[in-house]
Amino acid sequence: MELAGRNALITGGARRVGRALALALAGAGANVFIHYRRSAESAEQTAAEARALGPLAACGSADLGDPSSTHALLAQARAELGSISVLVNSASGFSADTLTDVTLAGFRSALDLTLTAPVMLTQAFAAALPYSFDGAVLNITDARTRTPYRNHFSYVVAKGALDAFTRTAAVQLAPRIRVNAVALGVILPPPGADATYAERLAVELPLERVGGTGPVAAAAIALLTNDFVTGEIVRVDGGGHLI
């Protein structure tokens, strides 16, 4: 897939990994619609940086904790840019809980944002894609779905289901739409933590360093542009899955 001239919707595109993905797509020539929930200023700044690279950029807000908002979000992106042929599901929470203390409300909240919203948005994206277009979906998941965190039960279950959704959607939407994922390791400190937090984790990795967003963006562009790859989950984790 040639990204130049494509229209892409990136959820959670205002900050952190989502921002890096939005700018990588813009750097490849794609017009970008940057979704945010509350980070309006960051979204506008990211959109301005994307425009400076040449393509069109717009942004809009939606609460993906309510998956019914996905159709309106896609409609907004289409109104700003035209038909969307690239979807990046990056928005996610990082709730802290365990199987012992998880509540029904907390579990449903994690599933709604991290799993149900990507599922419903992908469904709407596929239905709206003009028949003459091909498309690509990229999900952002977590390398720790195979070696789970002890204190992020709902989050890991939701991301693990997102892995399964990636493979299942790849089968169901082929051959016109490809669906892949990037599974993240120690890329950035969690919100509220400083750089030393991530550095302490990275010492245990085979590559012994924090990844940063550059390798994530590179993997994303590779998956989006390779027309013979679908249903793949690429771990960008510094070799963390090996230990």
mmCIF file of all heavy atoms in Angstrom, residues 12-13 23 32 40-41 47 55 72 78 88-89 98 122 157 168 176 194 201-202 232 237:
data_model
loop_
_atom_site.group_PDB
_atom_site.id
_atom_site.type_symbol
_atom_site.label_atom_id
_atom_site.label_comp_id
_atom_site.label_asym_id
_atom_site.label_seq_id
_atom_site.Cartn_x
_atom_site.Cartn_y
_atom_site.Cartn_z
ATOM 1 N N GLY A 12 -6.470 8.212 19.707
ATOM 2 C CA GLY A 12 -5.442 8.523 20.692
ATOM 3 C C GLY A 12 -4.222 9.154 20.053
ATOM 4 O O GLY A 12 -3.099 8.964 20.526
ATOM 5 N N GLY A 13 -4.439 9.926 18.992
ATOM 6 C CA GLY A 13 -3.322 10.430 18.199
ATOM 7 C C GLY A 13 -2.701 11.718 18.676
ATOM 8 O O GLY A 13 -1.772 12.220 18.041
ATOM 9 N N LEU A 23 2.324 11.343 13.132
ATOM 10 C CA LEU A 23 3.382 12.062 12.421
ATOM 11 C C LEU A 23 4.120 11.162 11.435
ATOM 12 O O LEU A 23 4.542 11.611 10.365
ATOM 13 C CB LEU A 23 4.359 12.669 13.428
ATOM 14 C CG LEU A 23 3.775 13.777 14.314
ATOM 15 C CD1 LEU A 23 4.810 14.287 15.307
ATOM 16 C CD2 LEU A 23 3.235 14.934 13.468
ATOM 17 N N VAL A 32 -4.083 12.993 7.821
ATOM 18 C CA VAL A 32 -4.363 12.355 9.106
ATOM 19 C C VAL A 32 -5.483 13.067 9.859
ATOM 20 O O VAL A 32 -5.555 14.293 9.886
ATOM 21 C CB VAL A 32 -3.105 12.273 9.994
ATOM 22 C CG1 VAL A 32 -2.064 11.347 9.373
ATOM 23 C CG2 VAL A 32 -2.492 13.650 10.229
ATOM 24 N N ALA A 40 -7.083 18.423 23.755
ATOM 25 C CA ALA A 40 -7.333 19.244 22.571
ATOM 26 C C ALA A 40 -6.085 20.023 22.149
ATOM 27 O O ALA A 40 -5.748 20.089 20.959
ATOM 28 C CB ALA A 40 -8.490 20.209 22.837
ATOM 29 N N GLU A 41 -5.396 20.610 23.114
ATOM 30 C CA GLU A 41 -4.214 21.409 22.782
ATOM 31 C C GLU A 41 -3.127 20.541 22.154
ATOM 32 O O GLU A 41 -2.506 20.930 21.146
ATOM 33 C CB GLU A 41 -3.687 22.104 24.035
ATOM 34 C CG GLU A 41 -2.512 23.040 23.766
ATOM 35 C CD GLU A 41 -2.068 23.792 25.004
ATOM 36 O OE1 GLU A 41 -2.796 23.760 26.020
ATOM 37 O OE2 GLU A 41 -0.994 24.414 24.948
ATOM 38 N N ALA A 47 -1.496 18.081 14.971
ATOM 39 C CA ALA A 47 -2.030 18.363 13.637
ATOM 40 C C ALA A 47 -1.192 19.420 12.926
ATOM 41 O O ALA A 47 -0.918 19.305 11.720
ATOM 42 C CB ALA A 47 -3.479 18.812 13.751
ATOM 43 N N PRO A 55 0.987 16.993 4.248
ATOM 44 C CA PRO A 55 -0.399 16.517 4.090
ATOM 45 C C PRO A 55 -1.415 17.372 4.846
ATOM 46 O O PRO A 55 -1.062 18.262 5.633
ATOM 47 C CB PRO A 55 -0.354 15.099 4.676
ATOM 48 C CG PRO A 55 1.085 14.741 4.747
ATOM 49 C CD PRO A 55 1.808 16.025 4.973
ATOM 50 N N ALA A 72 -19.899 8.091 14.938
ATOM 51 C CA ALA A 72 -19.826 9.547 14.801
ATOM 52 C C ALA A 72 -18.389 10.000 14.570
ATOM 53 O O ALA A 72 -18.138 10.941 13.798
ATOM 54 C CB ALA A 72 -20.405 10.221 16.039
ATOM 55 N N ARG A 78 -14.366 11.434 8.055
ATOM 56 C CA ARG A 78 -14.714 11.427 6.627
ATOM 57 C C ARG A 78 -15.138 12.814 6.173
ATOM 58 O O ARG A 78 -14.822 13.239 5.056
ATOM 59 C CB ARG A 78 -15.820 10.416 6.358
ATOM 60 C CG ARG A 78 -15.398 8.960 6.594
ATOM 61 C CD ARG A 78 -16.560 8.010 6.340
ATOM 62 N NE ARG A 78 -16.895 7.961 4.917
ATOM 63 C CZ ARG A 78 -18.074 7.605 4.444
ATOM 64 N NH1 ARG A 78 -19.064 7.305 5.283
ATOM 65 N NH2 ARG A 78 -18.289 7.571 3.153
ATOM 66 N N VAL A 88 -5.921 3.377 12.514
ATOM 67 C CA VAL A 88 -4.983 2.990 13.562
ATOM 68 C C VAL A 88 -5.701 3.082 14.901
ATOM 69 O O VAL A 88 -6.114 4.170 15.327
ATOM 70 C CB VAL A 88 -3.736 3.892 13.571
ATOM 71 C CG1 VAL A 88 -2.791 3.488 14.700
ATOM 72 C CG2 VAL A 88 -3.014 3.827 12.229
ATOM 73 N N ASN A 89 -5.878 1.943 15.562
ATOM 74 C CA ASN A 89 -6.521 1.876 16.874
ATOM 75 C C ASN A 89 -5.454 1.939 17.955
ATOM 76 O O ASN A 89 -4.892 0.915 18.356
ATOM 77 C CB ASN A 89 -7.335 0.590 16.998
ATOM 78 C CG ASN A 89 -8.567 0.583 16.125
ATOM 79 O OD1 ASN A 89 -9.367 1.513 16.181
ATOM 80 N ND2 ASN A 89 -8.719 -0.447 15.306
ATOM 81 N N THR A 98 -6.382 -6.267 39.908
ATOM 82 C CA THR A 98 -6.033 -7.689 39.895
ATOM 83 C C THR A 98 -7.331 -8.486 39.822
ATOM 84 O O THR A 98 -8.436 -7.939 39.981
ATOM 85 C CB THR A 98 -5.267 -8.097 41.170
ATOM 86 O OG1 THR A 98 -6.162 -8.005 42.289
ATOM 87 C CG2 THR A 98 -4.064 -7.193 41.407
ATOM 88 N N THR A 122 -13.592 -0.572 13.677
ATOM 89 C CA THR A 122 -13.157 -1.349 12.511
ATOM 90 C C THR A 122 -14.359 -1.791 11.685
ATOM 91 O O THR A 122 -14.323 -1.761 10.447
ATOM 92 C CB THR A 122 -12.333 -2.570 12.960
ATOM 93 O OG1 THR A 122 -11.190 -2.126 13.695
ATOM 94 C CG2 THR A 122 -11.870 -3.385 11.765
ATOM 95 N N VAL A 157 -6.215 -8.497 29.879
ATOM 96 C CA VAL A 157 -7.271 -9.302 29.271
ATOM 97 C C VAL A 157 -7.812 -8.612 28.022
ATOM 98 O O VAL A 157 -8.012 -9.243 26.969
ATOM 99 C CB VAL A 157 -8.400 -9.566 30.287
ATOM 100 C CG1 VAL A 157 -9.604 -10.199 29.604
ATOM 101 C CG2 VAL A 157 -7.904 -10.463 31.411
ATOM 102 N N THR A 168 -8.601 -12.527 13.867
ATOM 103 C CA THR A 168 -9.929 -12.870 13.363
ATOM 104 C C THR A 168 -10.401 -11.883 12.304
ATOM 105 O O THR A 168 -10.938 -12.270 11.259
ATOM 106 C CB THR A 168 -10.936 -12.912 14.527
ATOM 107 O OG1 THR A 168 -10.448 -13.818 15.526
ATOM 108 C CG2 THR A 168 -12.296 -13.379 14.056
ATOM 109 N N ARG A 176 -9.676 -7.475 0.860
ATOM 110 C CA ARG A 176 -9.647 -6.050 0.567
ATOM 111 C C ARG A 176 -9.029 -5.221 1.680
ATOM 112 O O ARG A 176 -8.440 -4.165 1.434
ATOM 113 C CB ARG A 176 -11.072 -5.554 0.279
ATOM 114 C CG ARG A 176 -11.158 -4.237 -0.440
ATOM 115 C CD ARG A 176 -12.523 -4.075 -1.096
ATOM 116 N NE ARG A 176 -13.609 -4.031 -0.130
ATOM 117 C CZ ARG A 176 -14.140 -2.899 0.342
ATOM 118 N NH1 ARG A 176 -13.687 -1.742 -0.086
ATOM 119 N NH2 ARG A 176 -15.131 -2.942 1.214
ATOM 120 N N ASP A 194 8.508 9.013 35.570
ATOM 121 C CA ASP A 194 9.604 9.689 34.884
ATOM 122 C C ASP A 194 10.445 8.695 34.088
ATOM 123 O O ASP A 194 10.195 7.490 34.097
ATOM 124 C CB ASP A 194 10.479 10.485 35.862
ATOM 125 C CG ASP A 194 11.117 9.610 36.933
ATOM 126 O OD1 ASP A 194 11.203 8.376 36.734
ATOM 127 O OD2 ASP A 194 11.545 10.147 37.967
ATOM 128 N N LEU A 201 13.208 -0.720 34.051
ATOM 129 C CA LEU A 201 12.629 -1.888 33.391
ATOM 130 C C LEU A 201 13.507 -2.367 32.241
ATOM 131 O O LEU A 201 13.670 -3.573 32.024
ATOM 132 C CB LEU A 201 11.233 -1.552 32.864
ATOM 133 C CG LEU A 201 10.166 -1.202 33.901
ATOM 134 C CD1 LEU A 201 8.869 -0.825 33.202
ATOM 135 C CD2 LEU A 201 9.934 -2.361 34.869
ATOM 136 N N ALA A 202 14.077 -1.425 31.512
ATOM 137 C CA ALA A 202 14.833 -1.768 30.309
ATOM 138 C C ALA A 202 16.119 -2.516 30.628
ATOM 139 O O ALA A 202 16.627 -3.271 29.789
ATOM 140 C CB ALA A 202 15.146 -0.493 29.514
ATOM 141 N N GLU A 232 -0.777 -10.275 11.331
ATOM 142 C CA GLU A 232 0.521 -10.362 12.000
ATOM 143 C C GLU A 232 0.549 -9.444 13.218
ATOM 144 O O GLU A 232 0.004 -8.340 13.196
ATOM 145 C CB GLU A 232 1.638 -9.966 11.032
ATOM 146 C CG GLU A 232 3.043 -10.188 11.564
ATOM 147 C CD GLU A 232 3.316 -11.650 11.844
ATOM 148 O OE1 GLU A 232 3.242 -12.462 10.910
ATOM 149 O OE2 GLU A 232 3.594 -11.969 13.015
ATOM 150 N N ASP A 237 9.685 -4.858 21.448
ATOM 151 C CA ASP A 237 9.837 -4.958 22.904
ATOM 152 C C ASP A 237 11.273 -5.159 23.362
ATOM 153 O O ASP A 237 11.507 -5.553 24.509
ATOM 154 C CB ASP A 237 8.976 -6.095 23.444
ATOM 155 C CG ASP A 237 9.426 -7.485 23.009
ATOM 156 O OD1 ASP A 237 10.302 -7.570 22.118
ATOM 157 O OD2 ASP A 237 8.931 -8.475 23.572
#
